[in-house]
Amino acid sequence: QKEVEQDPGPLSVPEGAIVSLNCTYSNSAFQYFMWYRQYSRKGPELLMYTYSSGNKEDGRFTAQVDKSSKYISLFIRDSQPSDSATYLCAMCVGAGNQFYFGTGTSLTVIP
Amino acid sequence: GAVVSQHPSWVICKSGTSVKIECRSLDFQATTMFWYRQFPKQSLMLMATSNEGSKATYEQGVEKDKFLINHASLTLSTLTVTSAHPEDSSFYICSARDTFQTYNEQFFGPGTRLTVL
């Protein structure tokens, strides 16, 4: 079993839709949870960073962590064509520890 | 914001040659840098953790004699792919952790696309 599971998609939505991206994990010791956005042939850029359970909102993005279910989500409201990218979840046990990445979900927002 | 650069961005080489990829933290010091490899439509796979002034730590299955890592300063780590073969063709991405930040963010470079003919 992989440490982190993520549906690779692809996911295609119309502009303005709400997008839900999800990852599940098996290691209950994970404490830090990140979402990265990666455009084609570019390095990942950090979107959201959360510690432990709960919700965190930043503009149109909301990150949600449910440690009891070992499940994290990223919601994108009012999706835009510029949101078209691959979204990677990542997590680690503690500061300074190895990151474990999901496979990434490819998202296309259609104008 | 913190910026990490990689050079070159794209390299094509013949089988059997060696290729060096540089990773630089431009506006912060990075005691620790990471090297990842990413195949098409797959996630980032950690190859090794590079620590300034000491030997790199390689992940299981990564040949340390083939992928030479040098982290000689707080702003530069290099990955040398020795005797490259077509199966080494991939997207190589580095990341760096800011030495003086207490939280765990890694800043990623733009990646280097290696094609071995």
Side-chain angles (χ1 to χ4, degrees):
Chain A
Q1 184 185 10
K2 288 183 182 177
E3 296 270 7
V4 181
E5 299 275 0
Q6 184 177 9
D7 185 343
L11 185 61
S12 201
V13 301
E15 183 175 354
I18 296 174
V19 177
S20 173
L21 304 166
N22 310 295
C23 287
T24 59
Y25 60 94
S26 57
N27 188 346
S28 57
F30 285 142
Q31 296 283 347
Y32 295 84
F33 304 91
M34 284 72 66
W35 284 96
Y36 285 85
R37 178 173 60 194
Q38 186 178 21
Y39 292 111
S40 181
R41 303 188 178 218
K42 300 289 185 185
E45 56 176 327
L46 182 68
L47 274 179
M48 300 286 286
Y49 179 104
T50 55
Y51 172 72
S52 200
S53 284
N55 290 3
K56 183 175 182 179
E57 190 172 318
D58 184 1
R60 295 185 296 111
F61 299 92
T62 299
Q64 196 172 73
V65 174
D66 182 348
K67 291 192 72 181
S68 62
S69 301
K70 298 192 184 69
Y71 188 89
I72 68 171
S73 299
L74 177 71
F75 298 97
I76 307 174
R77 290 184 298 281
D78 187 24
S79 55
Q80 304 293 311
S82 57
D83 295 329
S84 298
T86 296
Y87 290 81
L88 296 147
C89 64
M91 46 199 80
C92 65
V93 172
N97 292 109
Q98 179 183 345
F99 277 24
Y100 293 87
F101 285 88
T103 52
T105 299
S106 174
L107 171 68
T108 300
V109 180
I110 302 168
Chain B
V3 178
V4 175
S5 70
Q6 276 184 247
H7 178 79
S9 57
W10 200 334
V11 57
I12 301 174
C13 68
K14 291 183 179 180
S15 185
T17 60
S18 294
V19 175
K20 180 186 282 189
I21 302 170
E22 293 185 347
C23 177
R24 293 182 184 272
S25 56
L26 297 185
D27 50 2
F28 65 99
Q29 292 183 341
T31 306
T32 304
M33 290 184 173
F34 304 87
W35 287 97
Y36 295 86
R37 184 162 60 179
Q38 186 177 36
F39 291 106
K41 299 191 184 295
Q42 294 188 26
S43 188
L44 298 163
M45 297 300 297
L46 180 65
M47 298 175 66
T49 301
S50 168
N51 295 294
E52 186 266 339
S54 63
K55 289 183 179 180
T57 303
Y58 290 82
E59 295 301 304
Q60 192 173 8
V62 178
E63 300 175 58
K64 61 181 181 181
D65 294 330
K66 181 169 181 65
F67 298 99
L68 300 178
I69 291 172
N70 186 296
H71 193 155
S73 79
L74 287 172
T75 59
L76 174 65
S77 176
T78 60
L79 169 68
T80 301
V81 183
T82 62
S83 187
H85 291 286
E87 58 266 29
D88 297 323
S89 298
S90 187
F91 194 50
Y92 291 86
I93 304 176
C94 72
S95 71
R97 179 179 289 137
D98 189 330
T99 302
F100 297 106
Q101 277 188 348
T102 55
Y103 62 94
N104 204 31
E105 184 173 358
Q106 289 184 24
F107 300 97
F108 285 84
T112 296
R113 182 160 302 280
L114 170 63
T115 301
V116 184
L117 302 175

